[in-house]
Amino acid sequence: MIGNWGTTVGKAVRSQSAPVTYGLIALCCLIFVIGPLSGLSPTYGTGDQLLSAQRAYFERWGVVPVELFEWTLRAAATPATALFVHGSWLHLLGNMLFLYVFGAMAEERMGHFEFALFYVGCGYLALFGYAAAHSDSAQTLVGASGAISAVLGAFLYLFPKARVTSLFPFLFFLPLRFPAWVVLPFWVSLQWMAASRATHGPAVAYLAHLLGFSAGFLYAWVRYGRTAAVFSRGTTPGPPAEKTPGREAE
């Protein structure tokens, strides 16, 4: 899950042309609401019956590392299906907030179809890489964090000067504005420190965050190279002036 993203609260700009980003958010929310984890559907029962349905749901759609390398078709598909499954309301809302903030600008730069392939491909690699590092684990992994981390990585390369408004707990949540090249590497450092301490299959897949971020950054670097500098923003990131600013993040 997203764990420890919340050291920063970002603010980017609204894009009027990001149907894939908004579609992914809507799809993830819909899947969660109609599934057993939301607690809103009476079809899954209550008490032990609901808990059993939730476990079965995770095992069917999530990544189980020890099963992934049995190389069955169903298991091989789980790093993709797990991107659309979330374990709690907090997990869902945290992930979707980051996708809402950073996804639109990345999608507008890449184009809709390329962004969709990028999101699913990098998310798949992140979850697969995590499973490979914990190949003997039977713990189920779900969530879009790996894919969203890839979006952050690409955003850092494409828009390094974009201003991000951040709230730091150790500064009494005082809102401060920093460029992306300051905020996002700081976030990566937190993930690295957390991953280095999580030696027994953490509840939060920090390694998947790092793998996704690295995949996204490298993709943008290889795909766009020096042309990315043309599209990077200074203190006013985002689309042309006639479009309305005002996006927020956790």
Side-chain angles (χ1 to χ4, degrees):
M1 60 183 295
I2 205 160
N4 285 356
W5 296 83
T7 52
T8 63
V9 177
K11 183 178 181 182
V13 300
R14 185 180 303 279
S15 171
Q16 296 180 355
S17 181
V20 175
T21 295
Y22 302 141
L24 287 169
I25 293 172
L27 181 59
C28 287
C29 290
L30 176 63
I31 289 173
F32 182 80
V33 167
I34 65 177
L37 276 303
S38 68
L40 298 178
S41 176
T43 60
Y44 295 103
T46 59
D48 291 340
Q49 184 180 4
L50 178 60
L51 291 176
S52 178
Q54 290 173 347
R55 286 193 295 269
Y57 190 78
F58 279 139
E59 291 171 0
R60 179 177 182 181
W61 302 112
V63 180
V64 182
V66 72
E67 297 179 1
L68 180 60
F69 296 101
E70 294 176 356
W71 303 112
T72 64
L73 183 61
R74 188 201 68 82
T78 56
T81 60
L83 295 176
F84 302 93
V85 178
H86 292 83
S88 68
W89 284 101
L90 181 61
H91 187 198
L92 172 71
L93 294 176
N95 273 341
M96 294 305 100
L97 195 54
F98 266 73
L99 180 56
Y100 175 75
V101 170
F102 294 100
M105 285 177 66
E107 178 183 347
E108 191 169 41
R109 173 63 183 92
M110 293 182 181
H112 309 315
F113 183 70
E114 180 180 344
F115 179 79
L117 292 180
F118 164 82
Y119 181 91
V120 175
C122 288
Y124 188 102
L125 289 175
L127 296 184
F128 189 91
Y130 176 89
H134 299 86
S135 58
D136 59 345
S137 174
Q139 180 178 339
T140 306
L141 180 65
V142 297
S145 299
I148 297 171
S149 296
V151 173
L152 266 63
F155 187 96
L156 175 61
Y157 187 81
L158 295 172
F159 308 104
K161 296 180 181 180
R163 291 284 179 172
V164 179
T165 301
S166 306
L167 301 181
F168 295 94
F170 55 83
L171 293 178
F172 305 101
F173 295 96
L174 180 68
L176 300 172
R177 286 175 63 80
F178 296 101
W181 66 264
V182 172
V183 175
L184 294 180
F186 176 75
W187 173 82
V188 171
S189 299
L190 293 178
Q191 305 306 300
W192 180 269
M193 289 187 291
S196 65
R197 296 174 183 174
T199 57
H200 299 291
V204 178
Y206 297 107
L207 178 60
H209 298 177
L210 292 171
L211 292 172
F213 187 92
S214 300
F217 186 88
L218 289 173
Y219 176 86
W221 178 39
V222 172
R223 172 70 173 82
Y224 297 100
R226 293 182 179 180
T227 61
V230 177
F231 297 90
S232 65
R233 302 291 191 263
T235 57
T236 310
E242 66 271 14
K243 297 188 179 180
T244 305
R247 312 194 84 240
E248 58 185 2
E250 180 183 1

